[in-house]
Amino acid sequence: MAVLDPSKPVESNMSAEDIQSLVRELEEVYNALLREKDKKTEEDMNLIGELYTLIVRLKKTLKLKAEAPK
């Protein structure tokens, strides 16, 4: 599994609203995975970590879009 760099935003032409919606959906999946199993495998933990990193990157993208001149 590739390791995402949380310091970099996601390059996207999506609207801020679409990104916000995607972030909400990913957060729901992330939270469900955290609650789902008592015993998590290394693969489970890697997936949870990758989801978290993607959420952070998408939020960084939203912040940059909000700061960008229109």
Side-chain angles (χ1 to χ4, degrees):
M1 194 176 254
V3 176
L4 297 173
D5 184 349
S7 67
K8 295 182 181 177
V10 176
E11 293 182 29
S12 174
N13 293 328
M14 292 172 64
S15 71
E17 294 80 19
D18 287 342
I19 294 172
Q20 286 173 331
S21 176
L22 178 58
V23 167
R24 281 191 299 274
E25 289 179 34
L26 288 172
E27 285 175 333
E28 287 178 21
V29 170
Y30 173 80
N31 289 324
L33 286 172
L34 286 176
R35 286 189 309 266
E36 189 172 278
K37 291 184 184 177
D38 289 334
K39 290 189 175 183
K40 294 175 181 64
T41 66
E42 184 176 341
E43 187 175 304
D44 294 334
M45 295 305 293
N46 287 338
L47 176 61
I48 290 168
E50 292 285 333
L51 272 172
Y52 178 80
T53 301
L54 181 57
I55 291 166
V56 169
R57 290 183 66 196
L58 286 168
K59 286 182 177 183
K60 189 168 290 213
T61 302
L62 278 174
K63 184 178 178 186
L64 290 174
K65 281 187 176 278
E67 294 172 352
K70 297 187 180 197

